[in-house]
Amino acid sequence: MYSDFSSKKPVRSLLTALALSVAFGCVSHTALADDRPSITIAVNELARSLDPVAQTGNVDVRIYYSIFDTLIRRDFSHPTADGGANLVSGLAESWSWTTPKTFDVKLRKGVVCHDGKPFNADDVLATFSAERLWGPESYYPEGRVYFGTLEKVEKLDDYTVRFTTSEHDAVMQHRLSSYTAFVICDEAWNAFKKPGVDHKVWMDEAAKNLRWNPVGTGPYKFVDYQKNDRIKLMAFDQYYEGKPAAAALTFKSVPEVAARVAGLVAGDFDISVEIPPDQWDSIAKYKDLVLKTVPLENSHILAFNPNDPVLADKKLRHALSLAIDRKALIDALWKGKTYTPNGHQLPSFGNMYIKDRAGYAHDMAKAKKLLAESSYKGQEISYRLIPNYYLYNVEAAQIIQEMWRELGVNIRIDFVESFKEVRKPGVQIFPWSNTYRIPDPTGALLVLWGPDSETQVGHKLYKSSDEFNALSKVLYVSADETERRNAFAKMLDIFEDDMPMTMLYNPVTAYVTKKNIRWEPYSQYYMDFRPSNFSIDRK
Amino acid sequence: MQASYFAKKIIRSVLTIWLVVTFTFAALHMSGDPIEALVGDQAPAAVVAHYREKFGLDRPLWEQYVSYLHSIALGDFGLSMSDQKPATTLIAEALPNTLRLGLVSFIGGLTGGVVLGIVAALNRNRPVDRFVMSFAVFGFSMPNFFLGILLMLLFALHLRVLPSAGADTGWHLILPAITLGTHFAGTFARFTRSAMLEVMNKQYMTAARAKGAPQARRVFWHALPNAAIPILTIVGLKLGDLVAGSIVVESVFAWPGIGRLLVGAVTSRDFALVQAILIMVAITMMLTNLAVDFIYTIVDPRMRTSEGARA
């Protein structure tokens, strides 16, 4: 191992510490007691900011998940018996619907914000205010996507908050555990409030100042940001779950995969993220490293444009879907480490998951029969994509092109620069990713393909039937689980028959850790360094 | 050299910068959508519209262009879309790292390259010459990213003697500086050899030898100053190339300098930042060329006369 100028050089560090302690004549007892190691995580890209509403990308959430908490937390490591998302207490101690439209949350006592102020209902009010998150003129338009059903948020006492919705919201507890629901501390945010100043003006000032100086309640607090270099967080020992395992977390920006792997082997990093499958075999050679893969709650799909004169024929769309050998794709691209969901759903939907659905099948004989019955006359069909926007999207396109050639369909792959270009007139087939941000159809199928979705309203790439639209209403407002489940099953039938898209697979994300790091990845991009999911074996 | 000569150069440089700004503006606006890069591919139209309005991207293109030209004329290069900080602040934060890497590799490459070029010229067609020229060809033809990864695999992965990525300590500088410096050294060695061989056949070199001047004096006093013009020209070009070369090396070694800043800004279509960096690069090239022109006149008095006569 090279001798480093940094703190990793034990002898020099020890001598420096000794000299400093002699020079100052005293040594902090806390510092001496804190012999926890610091951890370096090599990431492909740093968070674009630590604003938990403005930035919800994979590169962002994995970092600020350690800074902020949600009221309700999803326990990814311990799903329910049927594989569903298990919700546990976060900053909320308990929660319940007190009427069909009022959702009361009892807050945890004794929680402290990173600025030393106690956490209470005022922090929740600041986070979920109409002006900030969900009102028609909210500062963050993103918040309306998740909390558009809210009508009022009020404080019942210092540790009880009531959320009132316009209609019963069956997944309110999931919303409070998901994106844009990270709780900020009110003093830091409201410090920018000025009487008579429009909320968008002062919130803009607050957001600008706090994007690199966030104040939350999470296990680590922000210390330092150097663009394109690092984000450093320090253990927040007053965290309600207990002392975090590492004294500090440094997220280091290392865009090259080879450098992320080499740095881990050389001992510069403790965890490296986004290790693609072509590196997995080489990792196995190192006995002190552990590869951890997890299929994401995100599906790579192929969207068909049913308004296109050629693809308007439903039989052709079904034939194309049936001709895709998804297992071959998964084996070739993902080393067999993932799966194709059986419909636009995941096991994490819990009671809403329709386990016995067949989903999108592979049957070349049936595909050929349907193609022969269709109006397809050998026209060239465009498959538009942004190269490498999704991992292996080019390779997948080339494999699928060959599968469709075998079917008898002529495909031309067109590379473009942006999704605006992808969806321009003439669009026929394009790859897209569908994220299941809330483990429920209302957080996935309806957001992306429902009657109010951008796909239908803005891009007009799908027009659902009246029956589908009526069933979607049931999903949003019904409190009866059986009724919701039946409605969802019927919706999936209609959706798969309409065939505006076909499912490919859920991509896999892979992490490599040192063997002494006890940490498990989740099926979303959150990296959880809370004591319940992270410890370091010091032997 | 007359003032009008420099005035002409400056006017030409300003015109070049305007062209850089205009082409960059057009290319970035035609090639992608910054809001898509900011909010992702699943964002609803309301969110996209909000950010378009916030960053003034909902205005007609010509209006955005005129407004941008007006701002930069006033010294305001705009706010980075992703960082919400002035573009000039971000450049000022990254520049010291690029200068550190650039200067170490450039000075190392220049010194090594010139020495190797002289050694090769003095040993023309001998094994030493062939060895040096093989190194030179290797140096300037080996892609930076490939050499960088090879060095990383050898020194970080197998030998575990040097760190692979980052800019935290002096040790972190070694691999990226060797990668970038090898390219410079190869180029300078080749040009130095050619320039030296050309002057060593001149009559004044024969006269110096006939007068009994020792070899070191003949090389450093008589040959090198006369071979300096082509070397200076390539030094000027390569100095301007420093940022371009560092883009790849900084990305491979996660070195947080201007090169990486530019790559990130282009990927996210961060207009203000890309334009500010390219203007900075253009100004650097311009100043380097002016400086080289000026040094020519010091090194070779004939240049002074000819430029003066032309002006």
Side-chain angles (χ1 to χ4, degrees):
Chain A
M1 173 67 78
Y2 63 94
S3 60
D4 201 334
F5 296 164
S6 73
S7 59
K8 283 186 177 174
K9 190 175 177 184
V11 177
R12 186 172 296 186
S13 301
L14 199 67
L15 288 174
T16 312
L18 199 64
L20 282 174
S21 59
V22 170
F24 289 101
C26 65
V27 181
S28 156
H29 290 286
T30 321
L32 270 184
D34 191 358
D35 58 350
R36 291 171 292 181
S38 291
I39 294 296
T40 303
I41 303 126
V43 296
N44 52 327
E45 193 184 331
L46 292 176
R48 294 161 300 174
S49 91
L50 299 174
D51 182 328
V53 184
Q55 307 292 358
T56 54
N58 53 349
V59 298
D60 313 303
V61 295
R62 68 179 164 216
I63 295 179
Y64 66 62
Y65 195 69
S66 291
I67 299 172
F68 298 101
D69 285 306
T70 46
L71 291 173
I72 299 168
R73 192 140 57 83
R74 180 172 163 193
D75 184 350
F76 286 88
S77 303
H78 304 94
T80 57
D82 56 2
N86 181 22
L87 296 182
V88 297
S89 177
L91 291 174
E93 243 172 27
S94 62
W95 55 90
S96 63
W97 285 100
T98 45
T99 75
K101 292 185 184 178
T102 54
F103 188 79
D104 287 2
V105 175
K106 283 260 176 224
L107 303 179
R108 188 187 287 272
K109 291 179 183 164
V111 175
V112 183
C113 287
H114 294 163
D115 58 3
K117 307 276 185 347
F119 162 77
N120 56 34
D122 292 332
D123 301 302
V124 181
L125 291 192
T127 303
F128 295 98
S129 74
E131 291 82 11
R132 180 177 181 269
L133 203 62
W134 51 267
E137 288 297 314
S138 66
Y139 173 69
Y140 292 112
E142 297 91 340
R144 296 198 284 272
V145 177
Y146 292 86
F147 291 98
T149 56
L150 283 178
E151 219 165 44
K152 196 161 58 173
V153 182
E154 60 193 318
K155 171 176 160 178
L156 300 184
D157 61 50
D158 276 353
Y159 290 95
T160 314
V161 176
R162 170 165 293 168
F163 293 84
T164 306
T165 54
S166 52
E167 289 174 292
H168 178 76
D169 184 347
V171 290
M172 188 63 191
Q173 60 275 39
H174 285 294
R175 294 188 195 284
L176 290 175
S177 71
S178 183
Y179 292 80
T180 77
F182 292 94
V183 176
I184 57 164
C185 291
D186 73 313
E187 282 90 350
W189 178 257
N190 286 333
F192 295 89
K193 198 172 186 173
K194 291 180 190 117
V197 175
D198 183 67
H199 74 275
K200 284 196 177 175
V201 176
W202 73 259
M203 285 187 183
D204 200 41
E205 195 63 20
K208 267 185 197 159
N209 278 278
L210 297 173
R211 66 204 315 267
W212 290 116
N213 194 20
V215 183
T217 57
Y220 288 87
K221 63 179 183 180
F222 174 79
V223 178
D224 178 36
Y225 163 65
Q226 293 293 320
K227 190 174 173 69
N228 286 333
D229 186 23
R230 64 176 182 272
I231 292 173
K232 189 169 181 182
L233 312 180
M234 197 175 78
F236 182 58
D237 289 343
Q238 289 156 284
Y239 186 57
Y240 70 84
E241 229 186 66
K243 273 189 172 187
L249 301 177
T250 301
F251 292 87
K252 189 100 189 143
S253 171
V254 186
E256 270 296 317
V257 174
R260 291 203 293 280
V261 174
L264 201 67
V265 174
D268 299 335
F269 314 132
D270 302 285
I271 302 178
S272 286
V273 312
E274 300 279 1
I275 306 298
D278 57 14
Q279 297 283 323
W280 293 354
D281 290 340
S282 65
I283 298 293
K285 288 188 296 192
Y286 299 99
K287 300 294 169 213
D288 52 342
L289 301 181
V290 183
L291 174 75
K292 291 174 177 175
T293 61
V294 58
L296 292 163
E297 293 196 348
N298 167 285
S299 295
H300 284 187
I301 61 121
L302 282 183
F304 300 126
N305 179 8
N307 303 322
D308 177 75
V310 179
L311 289 170
D313 189 335
K314 198 159 78 177
K315 283 185 177 169
L316 172 60
R317 302 200 298 273
H318 275 268
L320 291 171
S321 177
L322 285 163
I324 299 173
D325 183 349
R326 293 164 185 83
K327 189 178 177 310
L329 275 173
I330 289 170
D331 289 344
L333 302 176
W334 304 100
K335 295 187 182 286
K337 292 274 188 191
T338 188
Y339 64 99
T340 300
N342 56 340
H344 206 288
Q345 58 165 354
L346 294 179
S348 61
F349 284 15
N351 291 336
M352 292 298 290
Y353 177 60
I354 322 286
K355 197 176 177 179
D356 51 3
R357 281 196 73 81
Y360 294 86
H362 169 229
D363 186 339
M364 188 57 93
K366 195 173 170 189
K368 284 187 173 172
K369 184 172 172 289
L370 280 174
L371 185 73
E373 291 169 6
S374 77
S375 54
Y376 180 67
K377 298 280 180 274
Q379 301 96 320
E380 196 174 53
I381 296 175
S382 161
Y383 184 125
R384 272 188 204 164
L385 74 156
I386 309 167
N388 302 318
Y389 188 89
Y390 306 120
L391 186 60
Y392 295 144
N393 71 344
V394 175
E395 291 82 351
Q398 289 165 341
I399 297 171
I400 293 167
Q401 185 184 34
E402 288 308 310
M403 290 171 180
W404 285 344
R405 196 191 305 279
E406 191 194 332
L407 171 69
V409 175
N410 190 10
I411 293 292
R412 183 186 69 245
I413 297 176
D414 293 323
F415 294 120
V416 292
E417 284 275 353
S418 68
F419 266 95
K420 210 159 83 180
E421 299 279 323
V422 165
R423 295 190 179 105
K424 267 190 171 173
V427 56
Q428 292 182 297
I429 298 173
F430 65 94
W432 191 29
S433 88
N434 281 196
T435 304
Y436 305 79
R437 294 206 163 184
I438 293 172
D440 186 86
T442 54
L445 179 65
L446 291 191
V447 170
L448 298 163
W449 294 93
D452 301 321
S453 68
E454 207 51 44
T455 312
Q456 291 208 35
V457 179
H459 307 308
K460 299 193 189 309
L461 288 172
Y462 175 49
K463 174 93 181 75
S464 55
S465 63
D466 291 343
E467 189 186 5
F468 183 93
N469 298 347
L471 290 165
S472 74
K473 183 82 179 154
V474 174
L475 279 185
Y476 275 122
V477 302
S478 174
D480 180 341
E481 247 180 32
T482 311
E483 186 185 27
R484 290 187 84 235
R485 189 181 149 89
N486 291 338
F488 180 46
K490 183 70 191 152
M491 281 180 83
L492 284 179
D493 288 342
I494 296 169
F495 188 66
E496 285 169 24
D497 182 57
D498 285 350
M499 192 62 74
M501 56 146 272
T502 188
M503 192 66 73
L504 295 181
Y505 43 69
N506 282 16
V508 177
T509 191
Y511 303 81
V512 180
T513 71
K514 281 189 184 164
K515 211 168 187 173
N516 65 330
I517 303 281
R518 308 259 175 247
W519 172 87
E520 289 306 318
Y522 293 163
S523 53
Q524 291 194 3
Y525 280 104
Y526 303 136
M527 290 187 83
D528 189 359
F529 291 102
R530 284 166 179 75
S532 49
N533 191 56
F534 173 51
S535 62
I536 304 163
D537 190 350
R538 311 278 295 277
K539 282 176 196 168
Chain B
M1 190 173 296
Q2 291 180 357
S4 61
Y5 168 71
F6 276 111
K8 262 189 211 166
K9 284 254 173 194
I10 289 167
I11 291 168
R12 207 178 297 161
S13 305
V14 170
L15 197 68
T16 308
I17 289 170
W18 172 72
L19 284 173
V20 167
V21 170
T22 307
F23 280 126
T24 314
F25 185 90
L28 284 177
H29 279 80
M30 283 189 303
S31 66
D33 186 350
I35 302 304
E36 190 178 294
L38 195 71
V39 299
D41 60 321
Q42 295 172 25
V47 175
V48 175
H50 167 83
Y51 285 106
R52 273 195 203 295
E53 192 190 336
K54 185 172 175 174
F55 294 114
L57 296 169
D58 56 337
R59 293 183 294 161
L61 206 58
W62 67 266
E63 206 178 307
Q64 292 179 47
Y65 176 66
V66 171
S67 154
Y68 182 69
L69 282 186
H70 180 250
S71 301
I72 56 171
L74 298 173
D76 175 9
F77 288 85
L79 278 184
S80 154
M81 217 175 275
S82 57
D83 277 67
Q84 299 281 295
K85 277 183 177 178
T88 43
T89 307
L90 293 173
I91 291 174
E93 283 171 8
L95 194 58
N97 283 324
T98 294
L99 287 180
R100 190 151 61 106
L101 173 61
L103 289 179
V104 169
S105 49
F106 195 80
I107 292 169
L110 180 62
T111 315
V114 169
V115 169
L116 287 175
I118 293 170
V119 169
L122 294 177
N123 294 281
R124 191 181 185 183
N125 291 335
R126 290 192 197 140
V128 176
D129 180 27
R130 289 195 188 101
F131 176 77
V132 170
M133 280 308 97
S134 303
F135 165 78
V137 171
F138 169 85
F140 67 71
S141 57
M142 176 74 102
N144 278 344
F145 74 90
F146 187 60
L147 178 61
I149 287 177
L150 281 185
L151 291 174
M152 189 189 293
L153 291 177
L154 179 64
F155 291 102
L157 199 71
H158 293 293
L159 301 176
R160 301 189 182 196
V161 291
L162 285 170
S164 58
D168 301 340
T169 70
W171 298 107
H172 287 84
L173 183 61
I174 296 174
L175 291 183
I178 290 176
T179 308
L180 200 52
T182 302
H183 172 75
F184 290 132
T187 311
F188 293 140
R190 194 165 174 80
F191 274 83
T192 305
R193 178 183 178 273
S194 310
M196 287 293 285
L197 284 177
E198 202 178 319
V199 297
M200 281 168 75
N201 292 327
K202 299 279 183 192
Q203 283 185 348
Y204 54 80
M205 291 303 295
T206 314
R209 199 164 44 242
K211 273 169 38 184
Q215 193 187 41
R217 185 173 170 81
R218 288 201 312 271
V219 169
F220 293 106
W221 189 257
H222 296 281
L224 199 55
N226 284 297
I229 292 293
I231 300 173
L232 268 178
T233 308
I234 197 72
V235 165
L237 284 173
K238 285 289 158 190
L239 251 182
D241 209 18
L242 211 56
V243 170
S246 69
I247 289 173
V248 174
V249 175
E250 288 184 3
S251 295
V252 169
F253 291 100
W255 188 269
I258 295 287
R260 282 201 58 205
L261 195 64
L262 181 60
V263 171
V266 170
T267 311
S268 59
R269 302 292 192 279
D270 198 335
F271 294 151
L273 193 52
V274 174
Q275 280 160 342
I277 294 174
L278 292 183
I279 290 171
M280 187 205 77
V281 172
I283 290 173
T284 312
M285 291 285 265
M286 184 189 89
L287 291 177
T288 311
N289 283 326
L290 275 177
V292 168
D293 282 352
F294 184 67
I295 296 169
Y296 280 163
T297 63
I298 297 169
V299 173
D300 188 348
R302 287 171 301 176
M303 304 286 282
R304 229 174 301 170
T305 334
S306 62
E307 288 298 347
R310 231 187 293 158

